[in-house]
Amino acid sequence: MRNWRWGFLLLLHFAFLLGTEAFKFHKTQRTERISGDHSHMPLVVKALLGNCNRMKTFSNHWAKICVLLDCSAGDVLEDDPVGRLKVFVYELPSKYNKKILQKDPRCLSHMFAAEIYMHRFLLSSPVRTLNPEEADWFYTPVYTTCDLTPNGLPLPFKSPRMMRSAIQLIASNWPYWNRTEGADHFFIVPHDFAACFHYQEEKAIGRGILPLLQRSTLVQTFGQRNHVCLKDGSITIPPYAPPQKMQSHFIPPDIPRSIFVYFRGLFYDVGNDPEGGYYARGARAAVWENFKDNPLFDISTEHPTTYYEDMQRAIFCLCPLGWAPWSPRLVEAVIFGCIPVIIADDIVLPFADAIPWEEIGVFVDEKDVPNLDTILTSIPPEEILRKQRLLANPSMKQAMLFPQPAQSGDAFHQILNGLARKLPHDRTVFLTPGQKILNWTAGPVGDLKPW
């Protein structure tokens, strides 16, 4: 089992240092085992890696440790964007948004639903202005991901034509696009590879970002450094995860975290990657091949009804890349206080200028997946506790959600904060009369057809 035994010796040693009071208390408690043979785990996990607030009462020594670990996410998460920017929302024909949603209400709960909820939020937000002459930013409400297969998978093939059509409409009916060619406009593009509009990376790279969006600010879930589908100045956001659904699965905070590593999801995508090795760049396959029999790893392709509860019983939650580097697991891990183990080289994480990801997560290079057990069991107990303490910060969780109605510090406000930090616009974004930069005929021939 490689080095997991050494890891537990380290955990046992630190647990002893916490004092016999905590040890005796946990020794008398019933341990709930989720799956696998964890008979050697729970005592240490309960004595050492449980909820900090619960454990601080056991001794003055532990109380002092918890005070030292009581760190916050920083004031930037609590910034109030109201008064710092004004947004004009274009009124488009309903075929670009509302009628599309009426055809398929599943779009409201899909992980790409941020485009819908951001539109609804802005319509009633105090940052909205009805006077475009005083606007700092212009928003075009286009639901480009609300085209789902019977299985609920998004089809991005119509998206480029739909987006082009909307831009042609605002450029023809308002003067504001033409004066900057979109440099003071932002668009929500939550596709797998954002404005490259394809779910397969190779084809997304071949397409590149839709040419008409090259000057605009893109608000997108996809984030990877040095990638053609992420341009400078984009705002990376979390995928949508239904807040009410997650809230209904909260378990009592005193339930011990008796799972060391947890993951549910695909390891191979035989349908789209029959030869293997391309899906997740082989990282998920490496997790399965190396740790399917490791008692520290509770991993499976099965998605149980207790999925959310299990995450709250886990210390580490794997967040590996799939076809894209991001997934809702990252949001779920933060909400449920499970330390995210991020396996996606060069990923750009949501609101990275506000959330201290290096402090709350663990980053593992894709090539180092075979050493994952050694890496995780080598993390000092005090560092694990510190990460758990940070994850417990309500402002950290709030920043990852799109609640209805909106709440202070949530993902809506983090997006606005990101836009506000880009102000004022550089004077060079305003074009001289008659000046043109964008090529309206660039891109694949299929994208130029009418929508």
Side-chain angles (χ1 to χ4, degrees):
M1 297 298 174
R2 292 203 176 101
N3 296 322
W4 63 267
R5 292 184 180 88
W6 291 106
F8 278 109
L9 287 175
L10 177 63
L11 296 181
L12 281 169
H13 174 70
F14 190 75
F16 177 78
L17 295 179
L18 290 179
T20 57
E21 284 185 58
F23 185 81
K24 290 177 180 178
F25 174 88
H26 285 289
K27 190 174 181 179
T28 63
Q29 304 303 301
R30 176 182 178 273
T31 296
E32 181 173 4
R33 298 187 180 114
I34 308 304
S35 65
D37 179 15
H38 295 306
S39 58
H40 56 290
M41 289 183 57
L43 185 60
V44 175
V45 173
K46 290 165 67 179
L48 174 60
L49 302 177
N51 181 274
C52 191
N53 285 326
R54 173 167 52 86
M55 293 181 68
K56 70 162 61 175
T57 62
F58 298 156
S59 67
N60 291 333
H61 174 66
W62 180 246
K64 292 176 182 177
I65 291 176
C66 281
V67 169
L68 290 173
L69 296 177
D70 191 11
C71 304
S72 66
D75 294 338
V76 68
L77 281 178
E78 300 174 5
D79 285 350
D80 186 358
V82 177
R84 299 168 58 208
L85 77 166
K86 293 183 179 180
V87 178
F88 179 78
V89 180
Y90 286 113
E91 293 187 17
L92 301 186
S94 60
K95 69 176 185 176
Y96 291 98
N97 40 63
K98 294 179 182 178
K99 282 190 176 179
I100 294 175
L101 179 58
Q102 289 171 358
K103 292 179 181 178
D104 198 339
R106 292 179 301 168
C107 297
L108 285 170
S109 57
H110 203 279
M111 61 180 174
F112 299 142
E115 62 183 0
I116 299 171
Y117 291 109
M118 190 67 188
H119 180 203
R120 293 181 174 182
F121 164 73
L122 284 172
L123 290 177
S124 58
S125 171
V127 305
R128 183 189 182 191
T129 178
L130 300 179
N131 179 7
E133 293 295 334
E134 66 177 17
D136 301 296
W137 289 100
F138 295 81
Y139 167 65
T140 308
V142 188
Y143 299 171
T144 58
T145 62
C146 190
D147 185 11
L148 307 179
T149 67
N151 293 331
L153 299 176
L155 293 171
F157 309 116
K158 298 178 184 177
S159 302
R161 290 187 289 130
M162 183 181 180
M163 185 68 80
R164 283 180 56 90
S165 174
I167 293 174
Q168 288 171 336
L169 180 68
I170 62 174
S172 301
N173 290 276
W174 288 273
Y176 308 106
W177 173 274
N178 295 317
R179 69 183 186 181
T180 65
E181 287 198 322
D184 53 356
H185 289 56
F186 70 93
F187 294 82
I188 313 295
V189 281
H191 279 280
D192 286 300
F193 290 94
C196 288
F197 295 124
H198 208 286
Y199 59 86
Q200 293 181 340
E201 184 174 19
E202 184 178 355
K203 293 182 179 179
I205 291 173
R207 289 184 51 83
I209 293 173
L210 187 72
L212 292 185
L213 295 176
Q214 291 289 349
R215 286 175 58 81
S216 300
T217 290
L218 303 181
V219 179
Q220 58 187 68
T221 46
F222 172 77
Q224 182 174 320
R225 288 184 293 274
N226 305 314
H227 198 286
V228 298
C229 298
L230 178 70
K231 70 185 191 73
D232 290 343
S234 298
I235 297 174
T236 309
I237 64 173
Y240 177 78
Q244 291 79 11
K245 180 181 178 181
M246 289 190 290
Q247 187 175 6
S248 68
H249 286 268
F250 281 134
I251 64 176
D254 59 346
I255 298 294
R257 292 188 177 269
S258 54
I259 304 174
F260 191 62
V261 180
Y262 187 76
F263 175 79
R264 289 295 184 272
L266 290 177
F267 298 98
Y268 304 90
D269 189 346
V270 178
N272 294 299
D273 182 27
E275 297 181 2
Y278 186 71
Y279 176 63
R281 296 196 283 260
R284 292 196 186 198
V287 170
W288 178 251
E289 295 300 331
N290 285 277
F291 306 111
K292 59 186 175 184
D293 297 320
N294 190 314
L296 298 184
F297 284 69
D298 188 347
I299 59 177
S300 173
T301 57
E302 298 178 0
H303 202 89
T305 56
T306 58
Y307 173 69
Y308 284 155
E309 288 81 358
D310 291 348
M311 293 188 83
Q312 295 170 78
R313 296 184 177 103
I315 298 168
F316 295 105
C317 287
L318 301 185
C319 300
L321 74 162
W323 284 111
W326 60 272
S327 82
R329 288 182 190 84
L330 188 67
V331 177
E332 295 161 349
V334 171
I335 297 303
F336 294 127
C338 187
I339 298 172
V341 180
I342 299 160
I343 308 171
D345 294 353
D346 296 321
I347 189 172
V348 176
L349 290 162
F351 309 130
D353 58 344
I355 295 178
W357 288 107
E358 294 285 347
E359 300 295 324
I360 65 175
V362 176
F363 290 79
V364 177
D365 291 344
E366 294 165 25
K367 65 179 177 59
D368 293 332
V369 167
N371 302 317
L372 194 54
D373 55 348
T374 303
I375 292 171
L376 295 181
T377 55
S378 298
I379 298 175
E382 59 269 23
E383 184 176 343
I384 292 175
L385 291 168
R386 182 173 182 275
K387 290 180 185 296
Q388 289 179 327
R389 189 69 172 176
L390 283 167
L391 283 169
N393 188 323
S395 64
M396 197 87 68
K397 302 177 187 297
Q398 190 80 321
M400 300 295 286
L401 295 175
F402 295 89
Q404 304 295 308
Q407 300 173 16
S408 177
D410 61 17
F412 299 118
H413 291 83
Q414 301 308 325
I415 292 172
L416 293 182
N417 281 332
L419 293 169
R421 286 192 284 270
K422 293 169 70 68
L423 297 175
H425 296 295
D426 192 289
R427 295 183 64 180
T428 59
V429 306
F430 296 94
L431 307 180
T432 58
Q435 183 182 5
K436 299 291 183 183
I437 295 178
L438 298 178
N439 183 354
W440 284 75
T441 60
V445 175
D447 291 357
L448 306 181
K449 295 179 181 179
W451 178 72

